[in-house]
Amino acid sequence: MTTAAPGKRSTLNARVEKIFDHASDTRSLFLSLTSGKHLRFAPGQFISITIPLGDETRSRPYSIASSPEDRGPFEICFNRVKGGRGVEWLFERRVGDTLDFSGPFGAFTLAPEPDSEEGFIAEGTAIAPIRPMLKQAVAASPSATVHLIYAAPDREHILYAAELDALARTAPNFSYETVIVPADKIYDRLFEMAQARWITADADRTRHFYICGVGKGVIRLRDLLRGAGYERRAVRYEQW
C-alpha cells in the first residue's frame, strides 16, 4: 500500500464488535474504540494494526471500509492470502477481542473538485477504501458523474453488491459495472475497459480517477490514464 508520510503514531485500542464473512476467505471486522470515542478519518484512509505473532510483532495497513458519517463501529475488510501470518491472526479474532492500531493515515482521498466527472477502479477487497469515497463523491455534487468499474474472479467476491445496486438506483449521477474474469486476467480486462470508456470514447481529459488494487496492474492503469493526457494529480491510486 502506498502511503503518505504518517503523522504522530499514537496507539489506539479497539474492540471487535461484530464479524461479517463476505465469503469463505473474505471477512469484515467492525471495531469500536475502547475509549468510547469515535474514530475520525477521511474516506480512503487506512489504519496500521499491531499484530503480535509470538516470535515478532508486525504492523499491517488495513483500509477503512466504512464512512466517517456512520456512527458506531468502523469497518475493515480483508481476505486470506497464502502465507499471510498477519491476516490469519486477524481471522482468529473473536467478538470482544481487542487490538492495537495507529492512524488513520493516507493521502488516497477525494480531490476537492466535485464538479468534474470521477472514475473509480477496484478489484476484490480493494473496494474497501473506495466504498466510502463513492458515497462522498455522490453526495458532494449531484451534477458530477461518478462511475465505478469493479472486477473480481467470481460473483461471490463482488463485495457490497446490494449496496452498490441501491446507490445506483437512488443516485442519478452514479453508475457502475462489474466484470468477472480469472484472477490472472483481471488487470488486462480493467485496462481494456478503462481505455474504451475514458480514452477512446472521447477527448475529455478533465476527469479525476481513483484506482485501488494489488500489484503492478495498478501502476499500469495509472500510466495508461496519465499517458492519455489526464493530469498527473488527477489520477490517484493505492497499490497494495
Side-chain angles (χ1 to χ4, degrees), residues 136-153:
Q136 182 185 28
V138 167
S141 178
S143 63
T145 299
V146 178
H147 186 76
L148 166 69
I149 299 177
Y150 184 18

Side-chain angles (χ1 to χ4, degrees), residues 16-62:
V16 178
E17 301 289 355
K18 176 184 173 183
I19 298 171
F20 178 78
D21 286 333
H22 300 270
S24 61
D25 62 349
T26 308
R27 172 170 291 183
S28 281
L29 296 183
F30 294 81
L31 308 170
S32 63
L33 297 180
T34 55
S35 66
K37 296 181 179 180
H38 183 69
L39 182 68
R40 299 179 63 181
F41 62 93
Q45 290 190 308
F46 66 93
I47 59 173
S48 290
I49 297 179
T50 302
I51 301 177
L53 296 174
D55 58 333
E56 63 175 324
T57 298
R58 297 180 180 179
S59 180
R60 291 290 182 267
Y62 290 93

